[in-house]
Amino acid sequence: MRARHIVGLVTSLISFGPLACGGSDEGPGEVAPADSGADGTLDGELDGGPGFDTGGGGCATADDCDGGVCVGGTCCPTADRVCGEACCGDGQKCLFGKCVSPGAPCFTGNECKADEYCETALGTKPAAGDAGPDGGADGGGLTCPEPPPVPGRCVKRPPVCADPVGDAGVDTGGSECVPKCEYKPTVGALDAVPEWSWGRGAKDYPAFMDVWSTPTVGRVYDTNCDGKIDVLDPPNVVFVSGDAKGTCCHCTGDAVSACHNGVLRMLNGRTGKEIWALRKASSTSVGFSGLSVAIGDLTGDGRMDIAAVTGEGFVVVIDSTGKVVMTSDKPIPGSGPDVFGWGGGLALGDMDGDGAPEIAYGSTVFTTKGGTLKLLFGGAASNDHREVSALVDVDGDGKLELLTGSTAFKADGTQLWKVAGVSAAAFPAVGDFDKDGQPEVAIVDAGNLTIVDGKTGTVRFAAAKIPGTGAGGPPTIADFDGDKYPEIGVAMQNFYSVLKPNYATKKIDVMWSMENHDLSSSQTGSSVFDFEGDGRAEVIYNDECFLWVFDGPTGKLRFVGFTTSFTGTEASVVADVDGDGRAEILMIANRADPSSTGWKCNIAPWNTADAKTGRPAWKPPAGANAYAGITSFGSASNSWVGTRTLWNEHSYHVSNVCDDRDSACDAPNVYGSIPKSEKKNWTVPWLNNFRQNVQDKGIFDAPDATVALSVRCSTPTVLDASLRNAGLASLPAGVEVGLYNVTAGDKLLGKVTTTGLLFPGQTEVLSFTVPDGAGTKSDTYRAKIEIDPKKPLFRECRADNNSSGDVKATCPK
């Protein structure tokens, strides 16, 4: 896939008029062949001139045009060529008041020139019908859950103005430009609502609905079966689910531990529906271990693959269709006990920069070099099997090191440094806390936080007790208070805390601690996100009973949801799960008995509201006693800022996987690829974080829905409403346009609704036939975008262009 990405393009066009006027034989959305030059290439210019003299000469009325139409004093041969005050030439189309010579065919802007976008209103929609064959990973077929892509034609786009909407006009030195289009949400209570849930009623292996590992997000699957994986495909959610039978996965007493016999699944991030489910990686395997998988291009084919672990401890690489393409030559050392698969996760990185990524679990590393998966180096797994290591260049030599809890290993397996008194199963995270350009490693171990120098392992801040009891989970790093310096977030058994290294006192200060509920593992993970883009990150954390969102500076509750989990090391994450340009939260759940003494969700005091903190009383889901599966939460007002469509591993730190919309990777910057030379996260101005999803730029980019109307000179009368996204972010499907008869006193005739996502600049033409007796072609009509102010489908940068002008048909006389 090319590095340029249509969502990242600023491709809107300025307020244009009707798409088509009059009684054309060509239906809306169809396009005649464009004029071609001597070299056979298509001309994609926008014509802003007064029109074309088609031989009809000057005119005063249609009577002067021999059956044509008089437009601006010039005869236009047919009404369908009329475009505002102009007449379009052969092969041109009227696109929002401008005559356009469509360029090359396209499906996305990646197929157009750098100064063009793909206008789907100028293509022919595929015929309705079955999108493709049905099947799954075990069934051998492919599912096509999304409709075929809509073709378009490449069209030039104007530049973006330097000033936002309302601050300046569209004249910048004599050239037209599109105003910046942004929406900045206000800071307040997070209005999170479920967008979809997966779990009960699963299509395949319905008993295996429990999730206790961190899910991954990314565009992995060709959902529309067009042979490509691009922005026309929604992101996918990939994870392992099992059947823990109401208890912890290693507590069922079965001959095969539920920690080992899980199902690998892929969901459509737009709908939450299953795409495929893989029961096991081979005929001799019992299933998949329940630890956190990782995704990224591991085979060099430009598509993301899945790295997972079998119940026998072998690492496997699985392609986008569910086919196993690599199996490790040896299992992970120490992967046999039943508890293996209860926690921990895989990490990806190209340690030696040879283009063949490595896969790490704890202190064990496998390489994909040569297209096979071989053990590179490693030691025995620790006793609790909860390893979450990371691959990061901490010594500045341009190659990645493997960070376990206590040790940094070089690419050849030799030890770079080791911290005395810290266990191998401790949890690391990397950031530059004093912003001197050099990394520090924050290590959580046995309820303590230690900070060491990344290059040498020298202790910078001695072990400090984290508030609360228990072991402590994988740490996050982000700027929680908006002072431009990062802090550290950690979950314990009974408190979640944010801690700050104090370089003046050489101690670690506690910014705040808030009560949580992790009575069992006491080492759950968390993630971080800045929902309003105000420079202060919030904490997203799920424990045994609750999904918490804590305010970054204060720890106050911003949102509380309900879940159940026996808890391992899992984290709920934030990504653009459905590809709509806005962030969502993915929450995991498993059916740990909420009334048992082990988890105590439905036991006092947790089933009673806490007025002091604002925590609501825990309650079970409707019709069941415990939660299960995965739930995607979004903003009810669609106001959260944008972010990546990626979260590819438990130790995610943005620069460890490429997204061609941003600058986290150097060229070749291919979506989903693992960089040969990973940028140092803490040196990138918009990063210096760990387990925080962000977006390089344009986090406030918004759509701008605008509508134009044309009236066909026909009987019955047909209205063509052209809804264009003139903003800088995608516009979701389902936008309603009302059609009104102005002559009849602004009578609402009916509504039409957009059927697909509109990327910046794109248009969808919606046709409506006026009912008998409700209007004629002589009447005046208007189109209006209908938006529910209490629950808007989208947030746009301006609302003063949501109605068309009053329009009548242009008919020859």
Side-chain angles (χ1 to χ4, degrees):
M1 192 163 61
R2 299 182 188 177
R4 195 158 42 82
H5 201 294
I6 183 67
V7 177
L9 294 178
V10 284
T11 54
S12 53
L13 295 174
I14 55 177
S15 298
F16 292 170
L19 180 70
C21 298
S24 170
D25 292 332
E26 296 171 348
E30 297 178 344
V31 61
D35 292 335
S36 59
D39 61 356
T41 59
L42 295 170
D43 177 15
E45 296 290 330
L46 288 177
D47 188 291
F52 294 85
D53 187 343
T54 58
C59 61
T61 68
D63 294 337
D64 302 327
C65 296
D66 192 22
V69 181
C70 185
V71 180
T74 301
C75 287
C76 195
T78 57
D80 63 291
R81 290 194 183 187
V82 175
C83 188
E85 294 300 314
C87 180
C88 293
D90 292 338
Q92 291 201 320
K93 282 292 180 180
C94 182
L95 187 66
F96 268 65
K98 294 280 186 176
C99 292
V100 177
S101 294
C106 59
F107 286 98
T108 74
N110 289 348
E111 300 163 76
C112 300
K113 297 176 182 178
D115 60 346
E116 297 176 333
Y117 76 101
C118 185
E119 178 53 81
T120 51
L122 298 180
T124 302
K125 289 188 177 182
D130 188 7
D134 195 14
D138 291 338
L142 293 178
T143 62
C144 302
E146 298 288 317
V150 178
R153 302 295 285 268
C154 295
V155 176
K156 281 198 172 181
R157 58 182 172 84
V160 177
C161 306
D163 297 313
V165 169
D167 293 348
V170 296
D171 189 348
T172 57
S175 64
E176 288 182 331
C177 67
V178 179
K180 284 184 179 179
C181 186
E182 294 183 338
Y183 172 79
K184 294 186 178 181
T186 56
V187 177
L190 291 180
D191 55 347
V193 293
E195 294 193 339
W196 56 255
S197 291
W198 173 92
R200 288 183 170 82
K203 181 178 68 173
D204 298 313
Y205 316 109
F208 292 76
M209 67 178 81
D210 297 327
V211 183
W212 59 87
S213 62
T214 303
T216 56
V217 180
R219 288 190 172 96
V220 183
Y221 190 77
D222 179 11
T223 53
N224 55 25
C225 297
D226 66 351
K228 298 176 289 184
I229 299 174
D230 54 25
V231 296
L232 301 179
D233 299 294
N236 304 112
V237 180
V238 183
F239 58 96
V240 173
S241 65
D243 181 7
K245 300 180 179 178
T247 183
C248 50
C249 67
H250 51 284
C251 305
T252 62
D254 294 337
V256 178
S257 169
C259 301
H260 292 182
N261 67 355
V263 176
L264 180 67
R265 299 188 188 266
M266 179 184 287
L267 308 182
N268 182 333
R270 186 171 293 158
T271 63
K273 294 182 178 179
E274 295 175 60
I275 293 177
W276 55 253
L278 184 60
R279 181 65 189 88
K280 49 189 178 180
S282 71
S283 59
T284 58
S285 178
V286 296
F288 289 91
S289 291
L291 52 77
S292 298
V293 303
I295 60 174
D297 183 2
L298 298 171
T299 58
D301 64 354
R303 296 187 174 195
M304 299 182 82
D305 305 292
I306 304 158
V309 180
T310 71
E312 296 75 27
F314 288 91
V315 178
V316 289
V317 174
I318 297 164
D319 72 11
S320 62
T321 67
K323 179 183 177 182
V324 178
V325 295
M326 293 185 209
T327 301
S328 63
D329 58 339
K330 296 179 181 179
I332 295 170
S335 56
D338 287 348
V339 72
F340 182 84
W342 156 75
L346 299 176
L348 308 180
D350 190 349
M351 294 190 74
D352 52 9
D354 65 352
E358 278 68 48
I359 305 171
Y361 177 81
S363 58
T364 302
V365 175
F366 297 85
T367 181
T368 63
K369 189 174 183 178
T372 60
L373 199 55
K374 293 183 178 180
L375 179 66
L376 187 63
F377 64 84
S382 67
N383 292 331
D384 56 9
H385 306 284
R386 55 169 183 157
E387 286 77 9
V388 184
S389 52
L391 292 163
V392 185
D393 179 12
V394 291
D395 64 356
D397 67 350
K399 295 182 179 180
L400 302 182
E401 282 73 47
L402 172 66
L403 291 180
T404 66
S406 62
T407 311
F409 295 95
K410 297 180 72 68
D412 60 3
T414 59
Q415 182 177 299
L416 176 66
W417 50 253
K418 182 178 177 65
V419 182
V422 175
S423 74
F427 301 120
V430 183
D432 181 4
F433 297 108
D434 56 359
K435 299 181 72 171
D436 65 351
Q438 302 301 318
E440 288 81 42
V441 181
I443 302 172
V444 174
D445 182 46
N448 296 307
L449 173 64
T450 304
I451 300 176
V452 305
D453 179 77
K455 187 173 184 178
T456 66
T458 303
V459 174
R460 292 290 182 86
F461 289 84
K465 182 70 175 67
I466 304 168
T469 56
T476 64
I477 295 176
D479 182 3
F480 292 97
D481 58 5
D483 68 350
K484 310 299 183 184
Y485 284 81
E487 293 83 34
I488 303 160
V490 184
M492 293 281 283
Q493 187 176 76
N494 48 349
F495 287 100
Y496 192 99
S497 300
V498 169
L499 305 106
K500 188 181 190 73
N502 188 326
Y503 281 83
T505 64
K506 303 299 182 183
K507 294 182 179 180
I508 299 176
D509 297 334
V510 178
M511 280 179 49
W512 54 261
S513 293
M514 281 291 289
E515 187 178 33
N516 65 357
H517 188 299
D518 191 14
L519 306 178
S520 53
S521 76
S522 74
Q523 52 192 37
T524 39
S526 57
S527 63
V528 190
F529 191 71
D530 181 0
F531 289 95
E532 293 95 1
D534 63 351
R536 299 175 297 180
E538 287 78 42
V539 174
I540 302 93
Y541 167 62
N542 66 273
D543 53 29
E544 294 163 335
C545 308
F546 299 96
L547 171 67
W548 313 89
V549 179
F550 298 117
D551 180 64
T554 67
K556 292 181 179 179
L557 295 181
R558 298 285 308 279
F559 172 76
V560 182
F562 306 118
T563 187
T564 47
S565 177
F566 57 77
T567 66
T569 58
E570 77 273 10
S572 290
V573 303
V574 175
D576 180 0
V577 175
D578 55 9
D580 68 350
R582 299 292 171 196
E584 285 83 32
I585 300 171
L586 277 184
M587 181 190 77
I588 67 95
N590 54 76
R591 293 164 292 175
D593 184 356
S595 299
S596 75
T597 56
W599 299 289
K600 300 182 180 178
C601 298
N602 206 13
I603 295 175
W606 305 101
N607 55 4
T608 303
D610 184 350
K612 182 178 179 181
T613 64
R615 173 186 57 79
W618 185 90
K619 61 181 180 181
N625 75 321
Y627 294 84
I630 289 183
T631 301
S632 176
F633 288 88
S635 167
S637 59
N638 287 292
S639 60
W640 296 347
V641 301
T643 193
R644 280 176 147 204
T645 56
L646 284 168
W647 187 292
N648 79 315
E649 65 184 38
H650 199 310
S651 296
Y652 176 69
H653 49 278
V654 179
S655 59
N656 66 291
V657 64
C658 298
D659 185 335
D660 51 4
R661 295 187 309 165
D662 61 40
S663 62
C665 290
D666 293 323
N669 186 12
V670 179
Y671 181 91
S673 63
I674 305 302
K676 292 175 64 175
S677 180
E678 182 180 312
K679 281 189 176 181
K680 300 174 182 62
N681 172 288
W682 56 92
T683 67
V684 179
W686 53 283
L687 295 176
N688 196 14
N689 53 18
F690 209 88
R691 296 189 173 95
Q692 178 186 8
N693 217 349
V694 293
Q695 187 169 307
D696 185 358
K697 54 188 176 181
I699 64 171
F700 300 117
D701 284 352
D704 180 18
T706 185
V707 64
L709 183 66
S710 62
V711 183
R712 297 191 205 177
C713 187
S714 61
T715 303
T717 304
V718 177
L719 311 180
D720 294 319
S722 302
L723 189 138
R724 175 185 288 277
N725 178 9
L728 300 180
S730 59
L731 188 69
V735 179
E736 285 190 335
V737 177
L739 287 312
Y740 294 83
N741 187 328
V742 178
T743 303
D746 281 342
K747 180 182 178 181
L748 176 64
L749 302 174
K751 296 180 180 181
V752 288
T753 306
T754 60
T755 59
L757 191 74
L758 290 178
F759 291 115
Q762 291 184 333
T763 305
E764 184 172 354
V765 182
L766 304 167
S767 298
F768 178 84
T769 300
V770 177
D772 289 342
T776 69
K777 61 187 177 183
S778 300
D779 289 345
T780 300
Y781 298 91
R782 181 187 305 123
K784 178 185 176 183
I785 299 170
E786 309 285 0
I787 298 175
D788 182 352
K790 294 183 179 179
K791 193 176 181 181
L793 178 65
F794 58 94
R795 293 284 185 170
E796 59 182 339
C797 58
R798 56 186 301 184
D800 59 355
N801 57 357
N802 286 353
S803 293
S804 72
D806 294 348
V807 181
K808 297 179 66 173
T810 302
C811 301
K813 297 180 180 180

